[in-house]
Amino acid sequence: MTTTQDGPETAPAVRATPAQIAQIKQRAAILSVMATILLTAAKIVGAIISGSLALLTDALQGLVDVGSTLFTWFAVRASDKPADDEHHYGHGKVEALAALVETAILFTLAGAILWEAGNRLWTNVIAHVEVTPLVIGVLVLSMIVDAIRWRSLTKVAKETGSEALAAEATHFSADFVGSTLVLVGLIGVWYGIERADTAAAFAIAAYTAFSAYRLARRVLDTLMDTAPEGMSEKLREIARGVPGVVGVNWLRVRPTGGRVHGEIGISVSRTLPLDRVVAIKAQLGEALVKVEPDAEITITADPVQVDDETALERVLLIALKLKIPVHHVTVHSIGDKLSVSLDMEVDQGLPLGEAHEIATRLESAIRAEFGGETEVETHIEPMETGQPAGHNAAWETVEDIGKALAGEAAKLSGPIHDIHSVRVRQTAKGLVVNYHCRVDPGLNVAAVHDAVDAIERAVRIARPQVCRLVSHAEPAVPAGAK
């Protein structure tokens, strides 16, 4: 373990895998089934011995519990099946259906208890209830086990997001309260209150119905794809904070099987290259996982025009979409309209008619972007699509070209100095020269470009065999700096 000045560094919590979560849920469900069977048998024995309506009601509820816990176990197993061709989002909604069945069971049970208790009151029948240590012991044991199951299932349901286990926990909370009310009723009978047992049955029915109502609201929210409270606002805020995201267009989230599936649509600048858009989506995905580890959000990026786009950027974007190489793009304002001129490169072997059609398509797209009154002039240039062969020129030629470059730089007394790394290649069209030079780092790019152009023009006039010069300007290193 590493330590810091503030104390020991806590290792990050390791999140359980989907397989581990499935195993946890299934183990909790099967333990619940076993405990329910044992407790129900004990309650039935106690109800027969005592004759208590409340305890008999609790025992009958236990029989229902056996069926519901078995159903929950099967539902948990089914919900953990992976997605397939027919269920693209998996089988998580099976748990919500199981919880809905639990709700129906609780409401039915509450109605049956009210019916029997009402019959006893209306017919003025007072059943003999015998309170024995065995009956009290069964109730106390039932309360302890129900409390343990209630707490453990609630914990597992929160950790795994299981709707079925959450419903089962609600069921056992009703069982715990029911056993408590039965015990209160029996104590009342012990002290001579003849209707205490029936009153306890009424209270059990009321609490069971209330628990069923709360469970029904939660389950219906899941089945109706209600977004978890506060999640939409939180995810939108996270998305807006990711660099490159212009806005959030829409967001849809829905819970299913302990997870949240959703989709989010974001806007990005249409001038961004594809790899940058992919990076923005990846960064957003990581940010969403940090705040909602159980969420699976699909991200869609829509390119939009942003307010700070320049006219030059818009022209270049149009050419990029049409896959037409352009350079030397200039944009001017002529009164209330724009004038655009550019160089367009096409395959040098392309017939002029086809090249003109490409230029017309580009010009039409630019006018559609800026308006029909926009002036567009296109210069068509040949582009070599192959890889013409070449070889390094003789050393004497390299030395001659290098001296010529250095001489012209000194003669012009401009900002260019320290000509170095001169490379000369002989091609079928002439000499291609590449070289590096140094310049004041504070000088702007336009001034550097003009100075380099002046040197290159002078060299090409003096040496016509040079067909192309490519310079690489580097910032000069200040004196004394390493």
Side-chain angles (χ1 to χ4, degrees):
M1 176 184 293
T2 59
T3 59
T4 63
Q5 293 180 348
D6 297 328
E9 184 180 284
T10 304
V14 179
R15 183 164 182 81
T17 64
Q20 291 171 330
I21 292 175
Q23 187 177 9
I24 292 171
K25 292 196 297 183
Q26 293 181 31
R27 183 169 62 245
I30 194 64
L31 289 175
S32 177
V33 172
M34 295 169 61
T36 302
I37 292 174
L38 293 175
L39 277 182
T40 300
K43 288 179 181 180
I44 290 175
V45 172
I48 293 173
I49 293 174
S50 66
S52 167
L53 171 61
L55 185 54
L56 179 61
T57 297
D58 210 20
L60 291 175
Q61 183 174 342
L63 287 175
V64 177
D65 288 348
V66 173
S68 68
T69 50
L70 283 171
F71 183 72
T72 299
W73 178 54
F74 285 117
V76 166
R77 293 188 63 184
S79 70
D80 291 328
K81 292 180 181 179
D84 54 34
D85 291 339
E86 295 181 354
H87 306 88
H88 297 175
Y89 290 97
H91 300 75
K93 285 293 179 70
V94 173
E95 290 200 19
L97 291 174
L100 190 62
V101 172
E102 289 266 7
T103 303
I105 290 172
L106 287 172
F107 274 123
T108 302
L109 190 59
I113 297 169
L114 286 174
W115 178 268
E116 179 59 25
N119 277 341
R120 289 197 178 188
L121 286 178
W122 293 330
T123 58
N124 204 28
V125 174
I126 300 177
H128 175 69
V129 178
E130 184 178 352
V131 183
T132 65
L134 175 61
V135 174
I136 299 299
V138 168
L139 284 172
V140 172
L141 175 63
S142 174
M143 291 168 62
I144 293 173
V145 175
D146 283 338
I148 294 173
R149 288 191 298 175
W150 179 9
R151 183 177 182 277
S152 62
L153 283 178
T154 299
K155 181 180 178 182
V156 174
K158 287 182 178 179
E159 291 175 350
T160 61
S162 171
E163 287 284 349
L165 292 182
E168 195 75 351
T170 301
H171 203 145
F172 289 135
S173 72
D175 286 352
F176 173 79
V177 174
S179 297
T180 303
L181 292 172
V182 171
L183 182 59
V184 172
L186 291 179
I187 292 174
V189 172
W190 178 273
Y191 281 100
I193 304 174
E194 296 177 343
R195 298 290 187 182
D197 184 62
T198 304
F202 271 114
I204 293 172
Y207 184 79
T208 302
F210 176 68
S211 299
Y213 168 74
R214 289 193 305 167
L215 179 59
R217 288 190 59 182
R218 185 167 69 245
V219 173
L220 289 176
D221 281 346
T222 299
L223 291 175
M224 294 296 292
D225 291 335
T226 303
E229 185 177 357
M231 179 176 288
S232 297
E233 293 76 10
K234 182 165 57 174
L235 295 182
R236 286 179 182 274
E237 183 179 353
I238 292 298
R240 293 189 186 100
V242 174
V245 175
V246 177
V248 178
N249 301 331
W250 44 266
L251 173 66
R252 306 185 190 98
V253 291
R254 65 184 184 90
T256 174
R259 299 186 65 81
V260 174
H261 293 276
E263 304 169 352
I264 184 171
I266 59 173
S267 297
V268 297
S269 173
R270 61 179 185 168
T271 62
L272 295 178
L274 181 59
D275 57 349
R276 175 60 185 145
V277 175
V278 172
I280 291 173
K281 292 171 64 176
Q283 186 177 356
L284 174 57
E286 293 174 358
L288 295 178
V289 168
K290 285 183 180 179
V291 296
E292 289 294 340
D294 291 325
E296 295 180 3
I297 309 294
T298 302
I299 303 171
T300 301
D302 298 322
V304 297
Q305 179 180 343
V306 296
D307 295 337
D308 59 351
E309 279 183 8
T310 64
L312 176 60
E313 288 176 330
R314 293 163 69 181
V315 171
L316 293 175
L317 180 62
I318 292 169
L320 179 63
K321 287 182 177 180
L322 295 176
K323 298 181 180 179
I324 301 175
V326 298
H327 61 278
H328 289 166
V329 180
T330 58
V331 181
H332 298 93
S333 294
I334 309 297
D336 57 351
K337 62 183 179 182
L338 288 181
S339 175
V340 179
S341 60
L342 53 88
D343 291 349
M344 180 190 78
E345 296 182 10
V346 295
D347 185 348
Q348 61 181 356
L350 196 67
L352 178 61
E354 295 182 24
H356 188 269
E357 289 180 3
I358 296 174
T360 300
R361 189 165 70 250
L362 176 60
E363 292 172 359
S364 298
I366 294 174
R367 290 191 182 98
E369 175 73 16
F370 294 99
E373 299 299 320
T374 303
E375 293 181 356
V376 186
E377 300 294 340
T378 305
H379 172 67
I380 301 174
E381 287 192 350
M383 176 177 60
E384 290 187 359
T385 56
Q387 295 181 352
H391 59 83
N392 290 329
W395 168 248
E396 293 81 3
T397 302
V398 176
E399 186 177 23
D400 176 63
I401 298 294
K403 288 180 178 178
L405 288 168
E408 293 298 337
K411 186 187 302 181
L412 294 172
S413 301
I416 306 299
H417 63 279
D418 188 13
I419 306 293
H420 61 284
S421 299
V422 179
R423 297 183 300 278
V424 182
R425 272 73 185 237
Q426 181 69 58
T427 70
K429 293 187 175 182
L431 299 178
V432 175
V433 179
N434 297 274
Y435 69 96
H436 289 211
C437 60
R438 299 193 186 278
V439 67
D440 180 2
L443 201 62
N444 63 54
V445 174
V448 174
H449 185 268
D450 290 342
V452 168
D453 270 357
I455 295 173
E456 293 177 358
R457 280 196 300 271
V459 171
R460 292 185 66 178
I461 290 173
R463 289 163 176 74
Q465 69 271 31
V466 176
C467 66
R468 181 168 174 76
L469 276 155
V470 180
S471 62
H472 177 75
E474 301 171 345
V477 180
K482 294 183 179 180

